[in-house]
Amino acid sequence: MYGKITEEELGGVVKNACPGPGACGGMYTANTMATGIEAMGLTLPGSSTTLADSPAKMRECLKAAEAIKICLEKDIKPRDLITKESLENALVSSMIMGGSTNSVLHYLAIAHSADVELSIDDFQRVSNKVPVLANLKPSGKYMVADLVEIGGFPAVLKLLIHAGLINGDIPTVTGKTLKENVWGAPSLDPGQDMIRSLSDPIKESGHIRILKGNLAPGGAVAKITGKEGRRFSGKAMVFDREEDLISKLHKGEIDPEENTVLCVRYEGPKGGPGMPEQLKSSGALMGAGLRNVALITDGRYSGASHGFIVGHIVPEAQVGGPIAALQDGDVVTIDAETNELSMDVSDEEIAARLSKWEAPRMKVNRGTLAKYAYLVGDASHGAVLDMF
């Protein structure tokens, strides 16, 4: 993945659709963050949607040098640009574009590094008021690279600034305001369906939902597009490793007719360690064509995943969160209307189960990764290393 790649190959990667389930998760997250960071004013106008193999990308490299000079002359530093207002722009952008749940972790960590107050509740607040407009993969029709044909992300920002959803007065790396950066961008053609109008959104509220309940008292993150419905309930099937779930799937031991909530735990910041992305399990579920199945985890999952999938469950299993007490057969409910993730187990029973629970031996006990696992905080605070 990180070896040498020709310009022709790179262009193909950017332009073409994902080759298979879960295969474009990393690219999808990258696009989400690229557009969000452009909305924060931290990158050059249009950089998030300029094709990698285009002459425009080469010209952008020259513009980057100009921007560096401006930042040096005007003493513009990242902390000057990372503010509550710019982060709000990023959150709005993520909702509008149907962005990846991984952005929740990233923006929380960015805010923490810049000493800006931001919580997972802010994501739900923004999700409640901002629609999904982008008809983009994995749930839509187009690729992010296709946005170039209608003016790129600057055209989208121009629309959102005009609508009052994005703050255009924030400073940027060009020395100009965000509004000034996109002033010359083309207006979106009303006839295109890549970015829907505010009067005809794909979804009237955001797709990212922050769920809480007796299974995730510290929060969890779900991506609910609405195509899969708004509520799912089923019997739990619990796995302590993603590999065990994959084995079960390959053996055909998951009943396609019964509503089942698959739980993969001990994959959180400490337990993973590092919240490994559940690429195989989410992809395998799609490949198996299982429709009566949901997936919950204290780890992460692919940005290209579909269906009822909930990640970032806090507290994680490794530290004795309620997910560690979940047992096969418990009924789990995912409700995107009430933003709840719960199991039909009483508080007393959960406490009784946890009183008998013992933390498993950490997967890594030496070196840098062990230090990371020891220091890392929970996912609801960005999984940062200095939550003292």
Side-chain angles (χ1 to χ4, degrees), residues 184-218:
S187 298
L188 292 175
D189 184 344
Q192 56 79 34
D193 67 337
M194 210 175 300
I195 302 295
R196 301 274 281 273
S197 69
L198 288 164
S199 61
D200 183 31
I202 290 175
K203 188 173 182 291
E204 293 183 355
S205 60
H207 59 298
I208 291 179
R209 315 302 292 181
I210 303 301
L211 310 181
K212 296 183 180 180
N214 69 350
L215 195 47

Side-chain angles (χ1 to χ4, degrees), residues 187-369:
S187 298
L188 292 175
D189 184 344
Q192 56 79 34
D193 67 337
M194 210 175 300
I195 302 295
R196 301 274 281 273
S197 69
L198 288 164
S199 61
D200 183 31
I202 290 175
K203 188 173 182 291
E204 293 183 355
S205 60
H207 59 298
I208 291 179
R209 315 302 292 181
I210 303 301
L211 310 181
K212 296 183 180 180
N214 69 350
L215 195 47
V221 182
K223 179 184 175 185
I224 307 294
T225 65
K227 292 183 178 180
E228 59 278 288
R230 301 294 179 90
R231 191 175 188 276
F232 187 95
S233 186
K235 291 183 178 179
M237 185 178 290
V238 184
F239 305 90
D240 291 345
R241 301 187 313 153
E242 184 185 25
E243 291 79 5
D244 294 338
L245 168 56
I246 300 300
S247 175
K248 201 90 167 177
L249 279 169
H250 286 170
K251 293 177 182 177
E253 296 178 352
I254 297 176
D255 188 347
E257 303 300 325
E258 183 178 20
N259 279 11
T260 304
V261 177
L262 305 172
C263 171
V264 182
R265 60 191 179 190
Y266 298 105
E267 300 283 8
K270 290 184 180 294
M275 298 186 76
E277 200 166 40
Q278 309 293 299
L279 288 167
K280 292 180 180 178
S281 54
S282 58
L285 288 176
M286 291 171 59
L290 295 175
R291 295 290 177 263
N292 296 331
V293 170
L295 172 65
I296 65 173
T297 177
D298 51 9
R300 299 179 299 130
Y301 53 89
S302 168
S305 301
H306 295 260
F308 273 96
I309 304 183
V310 181
H312 310 201
I313 291 176
V314 174
E316 62 175 291
Q318 187 66 44
V319 300
I323 189 174
L326 187 66
Q327 296 180 359
D328 289 346
D330 292 338
V331 176
V332 173
T333 298
I334 304 166
D335 195 326
E337 295 287 353
T338 61
N339 295 328
E340 186 176 6
L341 176 63
S342 60
M343 53 180 165
D344 67 339
V345 180
S346 67
D347 292 342
E348 293 76 15
E349 175 62 18
I350 293 174
R353 292 181 186 180
L354 289 176
S355 68
K356 301 174 185 177
W357 171 85
E358 292 184 6
R361 178 180 172 83
M362 296 288 284
K363 295 174 185 174
V364 180
N365 294 284
R366 291 187 176 190
T368 301
L369 197 53

Side-chain angles (χ1 to χ4, degrees), residues 131-209:
V132 178
L133 301 182
N135 185 12
L136 300 174
K137 292 180 182 295
S139 58
K141 179 179 178 181
Y142 301 96
M143 295 292 289
V144 171
D146 295 325
L147 284 176
V148 173
E149 300 172 11
I150 60 171
F153 193 57
V156 180
L157 284 175
K158 186 176 180 179
L159 167 70
L160 300 178
I161 291 171
H162 180 73
L165 291 174
I166 288 282
N167 184 345
D169 295 324
I170 64 168
T172 73
V173 292
T174 65
K176 301 177 182 179
T177 65
L178 188 65
K179 183 191 301 182
E180 290 171 332
N181 282 347
V182 303
W183 187 260
S187 298
L188 292 175
D189 184 344
Q192 56 79 34
D193 67 337
M194 210 175 300
I195 302 295
R196 301 274 281 273
S197 69
L198 288 164
S199 61
D200 183 31
I202 290 175
K203 188 173 182 291
E204 293 183 355
S205 60
H207 59 298
I208 291 179
R209 315 302 292 181

Side-chain angles (χ1 to χ4, degrees), residues 67-113:
I68 291 171
K69 181 181 178 182
I70 290 170
C71 287
L72 288 171
E73 290 175 344
K74 296 190 175 185
D75 195 28
I76 300 172
K77 299 180 291 294
R79 279 178 177 266
D80 298 321
L81 305 180
I82 302 173
T83 63
K84 184 71 173 181
E85 291 76 17
S86 68
L87 281 163
E88 186 88 1
N89 279 3
L91 269 58
V92 170
S93 168
S94 292
M95 301 302 169
I96 292 289
M97 299 294 285
S100 168
T101 52
N102 284 316
S103 64
V104 178
L105 273 176
H106 297 324
Y107 290 131
L108 288 171
I110 289 171
H112 176 78
S113 296

Side-chain angles (χ1 to χ4, degrees), residues 5 7-19 24 27 31 49-55 136-137 141-149:
I5 184 168
E7 291 185 9
E8 182 179 357
E9 290 170 333
L10 183 58
V13 170
V14 172
K15 292 177 181 176
N16 296 328
C18 306
C24 62
M27 183 182 295
N31 285 329
T49 49
T50 303
L51 295 181
D53 63 345
S54 67
L136 300 174
K137 292 180 182 295
K141 179 179 178 181
Y142 301 96
M143 295 292 289
V144 171
D146 295 325
L147 284 176
V148 173
E149 300 172 11

